[in-house]
Amino acid sequence: MGVRAGRSPDSLRAADILTMHRLARKGDGVRPLLRWLARRTGCWAGLVDTAGAVQEASSDERDSETITLISDGLREMRERGLRTFLAGSSPERSGALLAVDLPGDRSGSEPSGLVLAVVGPDPLRTAAPADAGPLLGVSWWAKETERTRRRVEVADARGREAVLHLLMSGNLTTAHQIAGALAPRLYDPARFHVVECGRDRRAETIRVCAELTGGRAWIVRCPVYSDHVLVVASTTPVPAGARPLEAALTAEIEGCVVGTGDALALRDTAVGYQQAFHALAVARGRPERWARFDAALGLPVVLGRQGSAWADHLLAPLTRYVPARVADPDSATLTETVRSWLAFSAAATEHLKIHRNTLAARLRRVEALLGLDLRLVGDQAKLDLALRIGALPRTTEHGPTDDRPTDVTGAAGAVVPVDAMEPVPSAPVQDHFEALLRLPAVREWALTQLRPVRTDAPALETTLRAWLGNDTRLSATARALGVSVTGTRKRLTRLEQVLRRSLLRVPNARHDLWLAATALDGERPDRNF
């Protein structure tokens, strides 16, 4: 390639350097620079390490002669302690090898980790290879730095997700240990927030959350929903005149929606998440775009010690299960799996990072052990209730240490003496369950759960009954109601606002609603309650 008419060699070199600088400023300037260099010299150009492995090249095509020429040249270059070397003497093929310095490398006689190789008829007939070397070094360093930054971000995100998973599983000791290494530390008690912000705005949301909480929150990208950010924040009182976190987030991040749970102990993180998720369903229908969970006493607490006896009986085959082979999932793994599936349905594969076939096999094992059909929302509700009761701390409220009676607080705040409760008979698990649902405190709890529908939206009772009676399957519910799937979804969306619970997205309130309807109906939830 000769000197172009009307231009001196110096002006051509200056133009080449400007072109190379422009290419180097691109996001990944290494490949564009090598391709330009190949066109400028009429040669093959590539970055190789000192062992001869090609790291990046102007094209994916390379012949064995080129690789052999580079390898032989590198070996002689190392033996002679040179930083530049011309390999081969054939007029048709020779190779220019130039050591590439990376930012931060110490200068010395030995070549650095990368070498620019230009192979062709006359690789050094222009100064382009020598001028390209420093720019290639900077571009490669920037590319590797960005790659390292992304790996660190991924590792940090997975570490934070692991801590959240440990919290939801009740493994507080390990969660505190990992959180102490990643920072910030975990605060106890804490308040759970779910921020719905859009997939492409999670980074911005995380930054704003960190600023608003002053580093006193554990912030995680939701592993199940790609448009959610999860925040476990300190319950430090908000200063006078300041906005609560949920209000501040909606003010700072346009279009985001926030659901917030109660202030709970860290051991109840799973409860806090479900509370915040239900509040999120309510917040979507409010102009302020945020809502706090409308607390009502949970059924596991209402059932007290009698519920504990029933739950222990139901879960005994699972808790005592010992697999025949070491490689098979044990009791703890099966329990964790079914707990995740009851909350997230098919999305449990994302939550637990397992294959869908693995999930299905574990669920079949749980069904066989407990004699349940998990396709039915009623069996799901029983198992979910038993697991929630089992997760309660066994204090004197749930398991008295003496024979004195212990009162149980009802859902509306009334105290129901234990003496007034019907005893749970020594009978099959199903009889135990039906006896529990006949307890006065349970009926009071059920009335509290369903009162908003009966009071504020009685026309939606039929929709709720059909949804529960068809195992919360949307298409089956639509057929039972004689309306379209879209129309059924709109009715359920309205029910979410009335009940202040999530129905269409998991985790939803299907289990509690089925239990409440069954407690009031006495037989089937699809009857009038």
Side-chain angles (χ1 to χ4, degrees):
M1 189 179 295
V3 176
R4 281 165 277 184
R7 302 190 68 176
S8 67
D10 287 344
S11 66
L12 285 173
R13 184 179 183 186
D16 287 347
I17 291 174
L18 287 174
T19 299
M20 287 188 285
H21 273 274
R22 187 179 67 252
L23 293 172
R25 286 197 296 270
K26 293 185 176 180
D28 178 11
V30 177
R31 178 63 73 90
L33 271 172
L34 290 173
R35 287 177 173 171
W36 177 88
L37 185 59
R39 293 193 300 269
R40 184 71 178 88
T41 61
C43 303
W44 177 90
L47 283 176
V48 300
D49 59 25
T50 52
V54 178
Q55 301 299 312
E56 192 67 85
S58 57
S59 70
D60 295 330
E61 298 179 1
R62 62 200 72 158
D63 53 54
S64 58
E65 292 183 9
T66 297
I67 300 300
T68 301
L69 180 68
I70 293 173
S71 298
D72 293 342
L74 285 171
R75 184 174 59 254
E76 189 168 352
M77 188 176 175
R78 287 194 301 270
E79 290 173 354
R80 298 171 61 178
L82 302 176
R83 294 181 57 78
T84 60
F85 186 73
L86 186 63
S89 56
S90 169
E92 293 80 18
R93 182 188 295 269
S94 59
L97 305 177
L98 302 91
V100 174
D101 289 328
L102 302 179
D105 280 350
R106 295 181 179 179
S107 59
S109 59
E110 296 266 340
S112 66
L114 287 178
V115 174
L116 170 61
V118 183
V119 180
D122 188 6
L124 292 179
R125 62 180 168 180
T126 72
D131 293 332
L135 289 174
L136 282 167
V138 172
S139 296
W140 180 267
W141 175 82
K143 177 181 177 181
E144 288 299 296
T145 300
E146 176 63 16
R147 186 180 299 170
T148 300
R149 183 189 67 79
R150 289 179 181 175
R151 283 199 297 264
V152 170
E153 282 188 351
V154 170
D156 182 75
R158 289 180 177 174
R160 294 182 182 281
E161 181 183 328
V163 168
L164 185 63
H165 190 78
L166 290 167
L167 288 176
M168 288 190 166
S169 301
N171 197 335
L172 300 188
T173 301
T174 307
H176 278 292
Q177 290 173 344
I178 299 176
L182 293 177
R185 71 179 181 87
L186 296 170
Y187 291 88
D188 193 356
R191 192 184 298 275
F192 211 114
H193 307 263
V194 178
V195 185
E196 190 172 74
C197 57
R199 180 180 304 182
D200 57 345
R201 304 192 68 181
R202 291 212 288 187
E204 174 193 359
T205 301
I206 290 172
R207 177 185 59 78
V208 173
C209 284
E211 291 175 357
L212 291 175
T213 58
R216 295 174 63 85
W218 194 256
I219 306 170
V220 184
R221 294 172 186 262
C222 180
V224 176
Y225 293 110
S226 60
D227 58 346
H228 286 185
V229 171
L230 311 180
V231 183
V232 184
S234 166
T235 57
T236 303
V238 178
R243 297 171 296 187
L245 178 59
E246 52 270 27
L249 283 169
T250 54
E252 293 289 334
I253 305 173
E254 183 180 359
C256 84
V257 184
V258 183
T260 299
D262 293 328
L264 299 171
L266 274 181
R267 67 173 180 270
D268 296 322
T269 298
V271 175
Y273 170 69
Q274 295 203 18
Q275 287 184 350
F277 196 88
H278 289 311
L280 181 67
V282 178
R284 293 191 189 104
R286 291 186 171 180
E288 60 269 29
R289 306 195 316 278
W290 65 268
R292 284 195 172 183
F293 181 72
D294 184 15
L297 196 60
L299 184 55
V301 176
V302 171
L303 291 172
R305 58 185 178 183
Q306 293 181 297
S308 297
W310 167 80
D312 290 345
H313 191 179
L314 176 67
L315 297 174
L318 177 60
T319 55
R320 297 172 185 171
Y321 171 68
V322 177
R325 300 181 304 174
V326 176
D328 290 341
D330 59 10
S331 172
T333 301
L334 291 175
T335 301
E336 180 184 30
T337 300
V338 76
R339 195 190 302 276
S340 177
W341 179 79
L342 288 168
F344 297 112
S345 190
T349 56
E350 297 295 327
H351 181 227
L352 299 175
K353 302 296 184 291
I354 58 176
H355 193 272
R356 61 184 180 182
N357 292 342
T358 302
L359 174 64
R362 292 181 183 178
L363 292 178
R364 286 195 298 269
R365 170 58 61 184
V366 172
E367 287 181 317
L369 288 171
L370 300 181
L372 298 175
D373 184 351
L374 294 182
R375 294 172 300 178
L376 305 178
V377 69
D379 282 7
Q380 295 173 23
K382 295 171 190 175
L383 179 54
D384 177 69
L385 176 61
L387 289 171
R388 284 188 288 157
I389 291 173
L392 289 174
R394 295 302 176 96
T395 62
T396 55
E397 183 180 352
H398 304 101
T401 55
D402 55 35
D403 295 328
R404 291 173 296 177
T406 302
D407 294 341
V408 177
T409 305
V415 175
V416 182
V418 169
D419 294 340
M421 294 183 176
E422 298 182 32
V424 177
S426 301
V429 174
Q430 180 60 27
D431 293 342
H432 282 232
F433 178 72
E434 292 174 356
L436 287 174
L437 293 187
R438 291 195 299 269
L439 295 175
V442 174
R443 289 185 58 82
E444 183 184 353
W445 169 85
L447 284 169
T448 301
Q449 301 300 307
L450 299 175
R451 187 174 290 118
V453 178
R454 307 177 79 176
T455 303
D456 302 329
L460 293 174
E461 284 190 18
T462 302
T463 299
L464 180 57
R465 290 198 304 272
W467 185 65
L468 293 173
N470 286 277
D471 294 307
T472 67
R473 295 191 298 270
L474 194 60
S475 57
T477 304
R479 287 194 299 271
L481 293 171
V483 299
S484 67
V485 171
T486 301
T488 303
R489 185 180 287 109
K490 288 181 179 179
R491 294 187 185 186
L492 291 172
T493 300
R494 171 63 180 146
L495 271 169
E496 287 184 328
Q497 300 302 311
V498 172
L499 292 168
R500 299 185 180 183
R501 299 291 187 272
S502 173
L503 301 181
L504 290 169
R505 300 182 76 183
V506 292
N508 60 35
R510 66 189 187 278
H511 299 143
D512 271 352
L513 291 174
W514 187 92
L515 291 166
T518 303
L520 294 183
D521 178 65
E523 294 181 14
R524 290 173 54 86
D526 54 344
R527 294 185 179 179
N528 285 322
F529 44 77

